[in-house]
Every structure is written in C-alpha cells, then in structure tokens.
Amino acid sequence: MAVSAAVSGEVEVVGKYEPVGAEGMCPYRLVLEHVTSRWGVLVLMELLERSYRFSELRRAIGRVSEKMLTQTLQTLERDGLVHRDAKPVIPPRVDYSLTDLGREAATQVRALAVWTAERMPDVDQARRTYDEARVERTRAQ
C-alpha cells in the first residue's frame, strides 16, 4: 500500500497503484515512468558511457527535440539521477552526467535493453503465433 499525507495533514492509505501526492501518482511509480520513458531510457543509457554537453547528447540520442530533451534532463535531475554541471564561462558550458543513483538506474535499464535485444527472436515468434491464431479465429467466425 502507498501512504501519502493529505492536505489536512492526515495520512491517507490508498491502493498501491492509485493516485497519491501532488503529482497524482504514487512516488515510486512516477520515478519508474521517468526512468522508463522513451527519452529517459536513452538519456540514461548514453550517460552511462560518459558525461555529455547538451548538444552532444541530443546528437547521440537522435530525433529528440530540444524541448523534450530539456524536460527529460530536468526530470531526471530532480529525481537525483542526473547531475547538471553549469560552468560559468562564455559561452556557457553545461555538462550532464549520472549521479551514483542514476548510474544504478542506468545499469538496470541497460540490462533490460540487453535482454530485449537477446530475446527479440522469441518476441517475434510470439507475435507471429499470436497474429496467425487471431487470423484463424477471425476466419472461424
């Protein structure tokens, strides 16, 4: 069960996946969504290799808008996964790297990505089997 403090100061007990808190989700589910979001996964995996400047990271990820990358980095920074190092030079230089917590999360995300790549033939076979069975069910109706 998740527990959240209500506005009145009372503690509200809700189901594990029910909305709680200011963001409307239980806190660990919200972090899970940040880490496993489309761009969150790619940012974490890239930063696992080394630190990047914003433009370098954007090029490395590819097809991400400046706005979306900015939002993703800010979200991951707020969650304590990404460190933003702004250097007071001209022109401004900002480097992004993983915190220890971020490195741990990125390692888990990378393990899932490796598993996905290794098991893709099995997923493809499962999809073919499903699609064929669905076609057969449709024909039988």
Side-chain angles (χ1 to χ4, degrees):
M1 292 197 154
V3 179
S4 70
V7 176
S8 65
E10 297 175 15
V11 174
E12 172 190 5
V13 178
V14 296
K16 173 162 87 169
Y17 298 109
E18 305 226 357
V20 297
E23 282 113 352
M25 284 189 171
C26 57
Y28 71 88
R29 183 174 175 185
L30 190 60
V31 172
L32 184 62
E33 285 196 12
H34 296 163
V35 169
T36 61
S37 71
R38 177 180 184 181
W39 303 116
V41 166
L42 297 175
V43 165
L44 290 172
M45 287 178 49
E46 281 300 323
L47 290 177
L48 193 53
E49 302 303 319
R50 64 179 181 90
S51 64
Y52 280 89
R53 293 181 71 174
F54 183 88
S55 57
E56 290 178 307
L57 184 58
R58 186 167 179 221
R59 278 192 302 274
I61 291 172
R63 296 182 7 176
V64 60
S65 70
E66 193 171 313
K67 178 182 176 184
M68 198 69 241
L69 182 56
T70 298
Q71 287 176 350
T72 300
L73 287 165
Q74 287 173 345
T75 298
L76 294 173
E77 182 183 8
R78 181 173 182 246
D79 288 343
L81 306 176
V82 168
H83 174 72
R84 181 181 186 272
D85 184 21
K87 305 221 187 309
V89 295
I90 297 183
R93 179 182 172 109
V94 180
D95 292 311
Y96 293 91
S97 60
L98 293 176
T99 63
D100 289 341
L101 190 61
R103 186 162 298 287
E104 188 178 337
T107 300
Q108 299 298 319
V109 167
R110 183 174 57 188
L112 181 58
V114 167
W115 176 88
T116 302
E118 289 173 354
R119 300 303 293 212
M120 201 61 215
D122 298 314
V123 171
D124 285 338
Q125 181 57 51
R127 288 175 175 173
R128 283 191 298 277
T129 301
Y130 176 89
D131 292 345
E132 290 166 6
R134 191 162 183 185
V135 166
E136 288 302 317
R137 282 194 306 269
T138 302
R139 285 184 188 152
Q141 292 177 351

